[in-house]
Amino acid sequence: MLKIVSANVNGIRSAYKKGFLDYIAASGADIVCVQELKAQEADLAPEMKNPHGMYGHWHCAEKRGYSGVAVYSKRAPDRVQVGMGVEEFDREGRFVRCDFGNLSVISLYLPSGSSAEERQQAKFRFLDVFYPMLADLKAEGRDIVVCGDWNIAHQNIDLKNWKGNQKNSGFLPEEREWIGKVINDLGWTDIWRTLYPDHPGYTWWSNRGQAYAKDVGWRIDYQMVTPELAAKALNAHVYKDEKFSDHAPLVVEYDYGC
């Protein structure tokens, strides 16, 4: 059995104070992918680097209090890749890959374009460079999981207010088409939607109004998986018993030895 958790913590230090590291231990996760560390390596306390004795690998942004991703694992990885090899985005700390035998797990934080048009254009540039990377990853023939905050809701079912968001970042036609091509043309599997075709599975809620209380959410956190491994997915859930950030952890169990 292999249990993988993906969680945008919106600040690892903030999530730590809310019990996130205790949740990691209680969850029994084998691998935890974290996004939006919002911390430099020097800011990470020992328990944030290696929670409960897990191995930790991270990619921090150059800008303080911004972005950053990490992978925690019970087993030491055989190989670690920090960064995509694209300077513009590697400065922002958006990619860590850990290999375990024939399994690769990636923690990804895809840019948001909601703050300004300039950031939306950066997001489109990311999509342009990441798409061929996904094709190359798929061609490796390995079992691969790309976990993270993709900042795109693919279909109407993936957000509560889809009618009112068709011109907003995260649900633009170009973004939705891109995700569709990742799935339909490149052959990646969106595990949640495959397991639960009729369940929204929201993972993010705006801090405005009563979005969380009313469950007016978006599903923008994914585990995208190569087909052979996808066939071994047993179940998934969005963990909402505790609230660590504006996102909720996405948990998937695979019938897989690691």
Side-chain angles (χ1 to χ4, degrees):
M1 187 77 69
L2 173 68
K3 180 180 283 190
I4 300 179
V5 174
S6 182
N8 180 316
V9 294
N10 196 12
I12 187 66
R13 289 168 290 184
S14 172
Y16 170 73
K17 294 176 183 176
K18 297 172 183 175
F20 179 67
L21 299 189
D22 292 333
Y23 161 71
I24 289 178
S27 73
D30 298 289
I31 300 172
V32 180
C33 294
V34 176
Q35 302 86 42
E36 269 204 284
L37 293 175
K38 291 187 173 180
Q40 310 300 115
E41 184 175 344
D43 300 327
L44 299 174
E47 60 267 31
M48 297 177 194
K49 292 183 177 181
N50 306 101
H52 306 287
M54 299 179 86
Y55 297 89
H57 298 276
W58 46 87
H59 186 198
C60 299
E62 292 181 3
K63 180 180 177 181
R64 298 191 65 83
Y66 181 74
S67 192
V69 295
V71 176
Y72 300 127
S73 59
K74 287 184 176 178
R75 171 184 159 185
D78 305 317
R79 175 182 175 270
V80 178
Q81 175 187 340
V82 176
M84 303 162 56
V86 179
E87 183 180 358
E88 176 184 4
F89 301 113
D90 286 349
R91 289 196 302 265
E92 298 182 348
R94 297 189 177 277
F95 184 99
V96 172
R97 169 180 171 169
C98 293
D99 293 349
F100 310 87
N102 195 51
L103 174 70
S104 295
V105 179
I106 294 166
S107 185
L108 172 77
Y109 181 37
L110 200 149
S112 169
S114 59
S115 63
E117 178 59 26
E118 176 188 351
R119 291 308 302 165
Q120 184 62 44
Q121 293 307 313
K123 184 177 185 179
F124 284 140
R125 289 195 298 274
F126 188 98
L127 300 185
D128 287 343
V129 298
F130 193 53
Y131 188 84
M133 289 183 187
L134 286 168
D136 290 343
L137 284 167
K138 178 80 167 14
E140 289 185 23
R142 298 172 56 81
D143 295 320
I144 305 178
V145 186
V146 184
C147 292
D149 179 358
W150 291 60
N151 266 313
I152 301 172
H154 181 207
Q155 299 170 318
N156 295 351
I157 190 176
D158 295 321
L159 70 168
K160 184 75 169 182
N161 183 19
W162 66 268
K163 289 183 180 179
N165 280 289
Q166 295 179 78
K167 295 183 179 180
N168 292 334
S169 181
F171 200 58
L172 295 174
E174 306 97 308
E175 298 172 332
R176 299 173 62 194
E177 180 182 5
W178 184 88
I179 283 278
K181 288 173 63 179
V182 168
I183 296 167
N184 298 318
D185 294 353
L186 295 186
W188 288 84
T189 300
D190 173 0
I191 281 296
W192 180 271
R193 189 53 66 225
T194 299
L195 289 173
Y196 309 113
D198 302 317
H199 192 292
Y202 304 142
T203 60
W204 175 80
W205 299 262
S206 171
N207 287 321
R208 299 175 182 174
Q210 297 292 313
Y212 188 79
K214 296 179 180 178
D215 201 26
V216 181
W218 295 54
R219 188 177 74 94
I220 56 176
D221 300 88
Y222 297 81
Q223 292 194 25
M224 287 285 190
V225 186
T226 47
E228 294 79 5
L229 179 57
K232 299 178 181 179
L234 300 172
N235 59 75
H237 70 273
V238 178
Y239 181 79
K240 294 182 66 180
D241 292 354
E242 301 169 90
K243 193 172 188 290
F244 308 115
S245 79
D246 50 350
H247 292 250
L250 171 62
V251 186
V252 182
E253 288 187 316
Y254 302 86
D255 183 12
Y256 192 89
C258 179

